[in-house]
Amino acid sequence: MKKKIALVVSVILAGVVLGAVLVSAQQPQQPAQQPQPPEPQSQPRPPHPPMDPLGDSMFPPDLIMQHTRDLGLTDEQKAYMRGEIQKTTMRFNELQWQLQDSMEALHATMKANPVNEQLALSQLDKVLDTEREIKRLHFGLAISIKNKLTPEQQEKLHGMMRMRHGPGPDGPERGPGPGPGGPPPNRPEGEPFM
């Protein structure tokens, strides 16, 4: 029973880390000057993370802020986005502390022998509630930012994202993802998707 609960906690923690990586702002990849042939592999490549099914519908805030001039953002749009990002960042930091406290309490409960099942599950609910609020916060930010962009600005961002990630497995309109037979163009062999 102890091992099962520890496994559940480990899976949840891994999900939080993976969710934070997928939802967090991403740095754009610089395209390579010339494609280089893949180096001989002496060790197996790590599996690629699953493709984000909403990645082609949402825009990373850092991509928008790095291209404010290219997108022709108005002063009102920039001020709104800065305010939303600052508000979200403050709340995210509060939730991170709350999540850490909940995880520590759950961990301490799980160390007991025997484990108080009702207490452990109650603490697990607190962890899951906080994780859900974090995801909802990030999703809400993405929606509010997208709603402030004009259709033309959104189309420019789609083009930037296609150049940034290359075509996905379902064609050029799809978000990031490995193509058949290897990494997308302009991404060195073995480099993780970001």
Side-chain angles (χ1 to χ4, degrees), residues 85-148:
I85 291 168
Q86 287 174 350
K87 184 171 63 173
T88 300
T89 301
M90 285 176 44
R91 181 65 182 139
F92 175 74
N93 288 337
E94 292 168 7
L95 289 170
Q96 282 293 100
W97 281 103
Q98 184 177 325
L99 181 62
Q100 184 63 36
D101 289 345
S102 298
M103 287 296 293
E104 287 176 8
L106 178 59
H107 186 256
T109 300
M110 295 303 298
K111 283 184 172 181
N113 196 6
V115 173
N116 179 335
E117 185 175 354
Q118 188 174 7
L119 178 60
L121 292 175
S122 172
Q123 290 172 335
L124 176 62
D125 285 340
K126 289 178 185 177
V127 168
L128 295 174
D129 289 345
T130 305
E131 289 175 346
R132 180 182 182 281
E133 191 173 346
I134 288 171
K135 289 179 183 181
R136 185 177 173 90
L137 182 70
H138 282 126
F139 204 79
L141 174 65
I143 291 169
S144 68
I145 286 177
K146 183 175 182 176
N147 286 342
K148 275 293 184 185

Side-chain angles (χ1 to χ4, degrees), residues 24-179:
S24 69
Q26 304 171 0
Q27 294 295 324
Q29 299 290 326
Q30 297 296 326
Q33 295 296 332
Q34 295 178 332
Q36 298 180 4
E39 296 178 15
Q41 294 180 352
S42 59
Q43 53 185 333
R45 285 179 34 196
H48 295 292
M51 192 171 86
D52 181 2
L54 296 174
D56 61 346
S57 301
M58 300 166 70
F59 307 111
D62 71 320
L63 180 66
I64 295 169
M65 297 315 256
Q66 289 172 0
H67 296 281
T68 56
R69 185 174 294 162
D70 298 335
L71 295 169
L73 292 183
T74 65
D75 289 339
E76 187 249 333
Q77 284 176 311
K78 288 189 271 187
Y80 175 82
M81 290 179 193
R82 280 189 199 111
E84 289 299 303
I85 291 168
Q86 287 174 350
K87 184 171 63 173
T88 300
T89 301
M90 285 176 44
R91 181 65 182 139
F92 175 74
N93 288 337
E94 292 168 7
L95 289 170
Q96 282 293 100
W97 281 103
Q98 184 177 325
L99 181 62
Q100 184 63 36
D101 289 345
S102 298
M103 287 296 293
E104 287 176 8
L106 178 59
H107 186 256
T109 300
M110 295 303 298
K111 283 184 172 181
N113 196 6
V115 173
N116 179 335
E117 185 175 354
Q118 188 174 7
L119 178 60
L121 292 175
S122 172
Q123 290 172 335
L124 176 62
D125 285 340
K126 289 178 185 177
V127 168
L128 295 174
D129 289 345
T130 305
E131 289 175 346
R132 180 182 182 281
E133 191 173 346
I134 288 171
K135 289 179 183 181
R136 185 177 173 90
L137 182 70
H138 282 126
F139 204 79
L141 174 65
I143 291 169
S144 68
I145 286 177
K146 183 175 182 176
N147 286 342
K148 275 293 184 185
L149 296 169
T150 66
E152 295 80 18
Q153 291 168 330
Q154 290 183 34
E155 189 53 44
K156 284 181 184 178
L157 281 165
H158 282 297
M160 290 174 189
M161 290 171 65
R162 281 190 294 270
M163 289 184 64
R164 179 177 178 180
H165 295 294
D170 295 335
E173 294 301 315
R174 203 59 186 154

